[in-house]
Amino acid sequence: MVKPKRLLRLLLRIIVLGSTLAAVIIMATSHEKGTFFALSYEAKYSDTPAFKFFVIANAIVTVYAFLVLFIPSESQLWGLVLALDLVFTMLLISSISAALAVAQVGKKGNSSAGWLPVCGQVTKYCNQVTGALVAGFIAIITYIILLLYSIYTFLNPLLGKNG
Amino acid sequence: MALQNEDKLEVGYSSLQPKPKKWVLLMLRLLAFFATAAATVVMGLNKETKTLVVATVGTTPIKATLIAKFQHTPAFVFFVIANGLASIHNLVMIMGDLFGQKLDYKGLRLAMIAILDMMTVALISGGASAAAFMAELGKNGNSHARWNSICDKYKTFCDHGGGALIASFAGLILMLIISVMSIIKLLIKPKPDSTIVVP
């Protein structure tokens, strides 16, 4: 009874749910304490607003993707889901772009601003942030595929219903 | 008889459809073009030079020149490129609206416009967001990473960057509205096939 097109959409949504959840968890648990020339420091994701934005955006999309899984298949809400998909794609792209910009400064530094790279001192933290960003990338690419696919099936209702 | 009715319906629809919505969409595209072009230009020309006296040898002071350019920050480079592409996209769409009404490819004109609009929204949102957080970093610094804020030293650079960011966010909101309108145009356009539904 499960049509292949609906199955594909369900699968894509589950992948999105999984990867945004992974991004949230990996970023939120990135935490490292250390010493640097007798100064003790602590690196957390909440030090940087960009990473906080990343966690919040991915958390919102996780909750949304989880709720959408429960909408019955022929309901009127799918039009709203399509519109919200567009908004959430934009949100995810914003969040990963911001997190990537700041993470790049953390890894390479910015010599003209006098900012030293910090990844050398907090390697574990850097690796976890990188992992969270990779999960975020997977989420956004899957989401874009899902969005285009949803618009395609919405536009061809004959094709969509006949699976 | 049925054919005549359909013809009348077609003519009636096409004469009603373009007038109010077409001008609204065109004006929005023009505004979005100006916003993104302004953001590109202001950030692209963003440069501040400061000369400091570093030491004095005898009576001649040794000056050091410090330059703040947008190219130093990859996020700003991405910002300029994204807004540049968005303004080119808007320009092409405006030209297509004004001069190329007949251009079509297998009936996919509206679908292509909607998809390109969505891609542009994604691009601008990525560029504006990255530049916004980099600007916040430049303004507030990050005490945990021992990064000092640079805005007190390069005030003009920061001001211009802030202006470009505001223009880009305005362009983003306009592009979002335009994208939604393009998708609506795509979804409510009556398809010639939909009248022949015989499951």
Side-chain angles (χ1 to χ4, degrees):
Chain A
M1 275 302 279
V2 186
K3 306 178 176 105
K5 287 193 190 293
R6 279 229 306 277
L7 189 61
L8 183 62
R9 272 217 301 248
L10 195 65
L11 188 66
L12 286 175
R13 281 199 196 275
I14 290 179
I15 293 178
V16 164
L17 176 66
S19 39
T20 47
L21 191 62
V24 168
I25 291 177
I26 297 176
M27 183 67 96
T29 54
S30 64
H31 186 239
E32 189 172 348
K33 278 192 172 123
T35 53
F36 176 59
F37 294 144
L39 294 165
S40 82
Y41 59 91
E42 192 178 343
K44 289 198 297 260
Y45 81 95
S46 50
D47 294 339
T48 320
F51 293 161
K52 280 195 283 201
F53 177 45
F54 180 75
V55 166
I56 291 173
N58 277 282
I60 291 175
V61 176
T62 305
V63 169
Y64 165 74
F66 185 66
L67 290 176
V68 162
L69 287 180
F70 294 126
I71 294 182
S73 58
E74 295 303 328
S75 143
Q76 290 287 7
L77 283 176
W78 283 109
L80 182 64
V81 166
L82 188 64
L84 283 179
D85 268 348
L86 182 61
V87 171
F88 283 129
T89 306
M90 201 182 83
L91 188 66
L92 276 185
I93 290 183
S94 285
S95 69
I96 195 156
S97 177
L100 206 60
V102 173
Q104 196 266 346
V105 176
K107 196 168 177 74
K108 296 269 172 66
N110 190 332
S111 50
S112 0
W115 292 339
L116 299 172
V118 291
C119 265
Q121 284 92 45
V122 277
T123 326
K124 188 164 94 69
Y125 172 71
C126 261
N127 289 341
Q128 259 193 290
V129 166
T130 312
L133 288 179
V134 167
F137 252 117
I138 295 175
I140 187 64
I141 290 177
T142 316
Y143 215 105
I144 291 177
I145 296 176
L146 177 66
L147 181 68
L148 290 176
Y149 191 71
S150 301
I151 291 183
Y152 174 67
T153 48
F154 212 86
L155 286 180
N156 297 311
L158 296 175
L159 284 178
K161 286 200 173 80
N162 290 340
Chain B
M1 172 77 163
L3 248 123
Q4 278 175 347
N5 279 349
E6 249 182 54
D7 275 342
K8 263 196 232 164
L9 204 64
E10 275 288 299
V11 166
Y13 183 77
S14 61
S15 67
L16 275 177
Q17 176 204 24
K19 299 243 172 47
K21 266 199 172 168
K22 180 183 166 195
W23 286 115
V24 167
L25 197 59
L26 202 59
M27 287 314 301
L28 283 177
R29 278 202 198 278
L30 206 60
L31 284 176
F33 167 66
F34 283 136
T36 46
T40 316
V41 166
V42 169
M43 187 61 98
L45 300 175
N46 203 3
K47 186 172 159 178
E48 186 174 353
T49 319
K50 280 173 71 105
T51 47
L52 302 171
V53 176
V54 180
T56 316
V57 176
T59 50
T60 45
I62 301 182
K63 292 196 173 71
T65 319
L66 300 166
I67 309 180
K69 287 195 286 217
F70 82 95
Q71 292 106 320
H72 291 324
T73 319
F76 289 159
V77 173
F78 177 45
F79 176 79
V80 168
I81 293 177
N83 278 282
L85 285 176
S87 22
I88 292 177
H89 162 90
N90 276 322
L91 195 62
V92 166
M93 288 299 170
I94 292 173
M95 293 301 156
D97 245 353
L98 288 177
F99 304 127
Q101 282 287 356
K102 293 282 183 277
L103 288 174
D104 204 348
Y105 178 70
K106 292 192 193 166
L108 279 179
R109 179 198 168 95
L110 288 180
M112 274 169 32
I113 291 181
I115 289 184
L116 282 174
D117 276 339
M118 279 195 295
M119 279 166 46
T120 310
V121 164
L123 201 61
I124 302 183
S125 77
S129 154
F133 277 97
M134 281 305 296
E136 192 272 342
L137 192 61
K139 198 174 177 67
N140 297 336
N142 189 332
S143 54
H144 296 94
R146 313 260 187 274
W147 292 336
N148 300 323
S149 87
I150 60 165
C151 266
D152 43 2
K153 290 190 292 217
Y154 296 102
K155 196 167 181 317
T156 323
F157 182 75
C158 275
D159 287 341
H160 286 176
L165 270 174
I166 292 174
S168 177
F169 273 113
L172 174 66
I173 293 176
L174 288 168
M175 274 309 301
L176 195 58
I177 298 175
I178 291 173
S179 177
V180 166
M181 282 177 74
S182 303
I183 294 180
I184 289 177
K185 263 175 96 170
L186 180 61
L187 293 179
I188 67 170
K189 182 169 169 58
K191 287 198 162 29
D193 309 318
S194 61
T195 55
I196 322 174
V197 173
V198 181

